[in-house]
């Protein structure tokens, strides 16, 4: 089964999405096409087929659904991102546990790293939760931007590759603002 690649524009730059027959395997905001493909290669996900060349089938249908839902979300419209299947089977059991919990945080709400740790039965593992969140391969579909620090501040987000730490935090604030959440 092919991995289907689709890219959509956003106010912050391109969003790259790769889907297989079981779900979205990668989604990235702001990365380059080359960097996105390199990340997929490191994960041994295969060489993706551009959406316009992809055969009809589950991967193409999931890529289209993810494209539409993410475009709506980034335009500030509510979309059921939880209805889009994700396939993170190549991640560790810990990362899958954490990201599954993060995926349950509703639009317009936040949770702290410590809260997520308690939800999964690992109180005191807030830093380890932060590590798993930082390795999220399906950004936005697993809404790691909704995870904040225990004191209600913004916490961390993304990578310096996005223009530095402050640029990444500004993006996190903007994504939350789209959902009606203001974090200073």
């Amino acid at each position: 089964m092919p991995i289907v690649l689709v890219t959509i524009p956003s106010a912050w730059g391109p969003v790259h999405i790769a889907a297989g027959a079981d779900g979205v395997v990668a989604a990235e905001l702001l990365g380059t096409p080359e960097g996105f493909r390199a990340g997929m290669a490191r994960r041994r996900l295969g060489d993706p087929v551009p959406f316009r060349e992809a055969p009809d089938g589950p991967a193409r249908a999931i890529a289209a659904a993810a494209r539409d839902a993410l475009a709506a979300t980034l335009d500030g419209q509510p979309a059921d991102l939880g209805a889009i299947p994700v396939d993170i089977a190549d991640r560790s059991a810990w990362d899958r546990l954490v990201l599954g919990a993060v995926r349950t945080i509703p639009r317009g709400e936040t949770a702290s790293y410590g809260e997520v740790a308690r939800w999964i039965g690992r109180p005191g593992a807030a830093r380890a939760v932060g590590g798993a969140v930082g390795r999220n391969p399906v950004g936005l579909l697993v809404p790691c931007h909704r995870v904040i620090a225990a004191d209600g501040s913004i916490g961390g987000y993304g990578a310096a590759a996005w223009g530095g730490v402050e640029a990444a935090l500004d993006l996190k604030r903007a994504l939350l603002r789209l959902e009606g959440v203001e974090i200073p």
Side-chain angles (χ1 to χ4, degrees), residues 15-43:
V15 178
H16 305 287
I17 304 160
D22 295 326
V24 174
V25 296
E28 180 180 282
L29 180 62
L30 301 183
T32 65
E34 299 78 21
F36 187 69
R37 285 177 183 268
M40 290 181 58
R42 277 191 302 278
R43 291 176 58 204

Side-chain angles (χ1 to χ4, degrees), residues 123-137:
R127 284 184 183 254
V129 164
V133 167
R135 292 184 294 274
N136 178 8

Side-chain angles (χ1 to χ4, degrees), residues 52-102:
R52 67 186 174 280
E53 298 172 17
D56 285 337
R60 192 173 203 280
I62 291 168
R67 174 199 62 205
D68 296 346
L70 288 174
T73 295
L74 293 171
D75 280 340
Q77 305 302 313
D80 186 5
L81 297 179
I84 307 299
V86 297
D87 179 1
I88 55 173
D90 69 319
R91 306 282 80 187
S92 70
W94 172 256
D95 284 5
R96 290 191 314 270
L97 179 66
V98 170
L99 297 177
V102 170

Side-chain angles (χ1 to χ4, degrees), residues 92-103 105 111-136 142-150 156 172:
S92 70
W94 172 256
D95 284 5
R96 290 191 314 270
L97 179 66
V98 170
L99 297 177
V102 170
R103 197 151 197 232
I105 303 170
S112 72
Y113 297 95
E115 285 175 308
V116 174
R118 286 189 295 279
W119 293 347
I120 62 173
R122 298 305 256 306
R127 284 184 183 254
V129 164
V133 167
R135 292 184 294 274
N136 178 8
V142 173
C144 52
H145 63 280
R146 296 178 186 156
V147 184
I148 61 171
K172 183 173 180 175

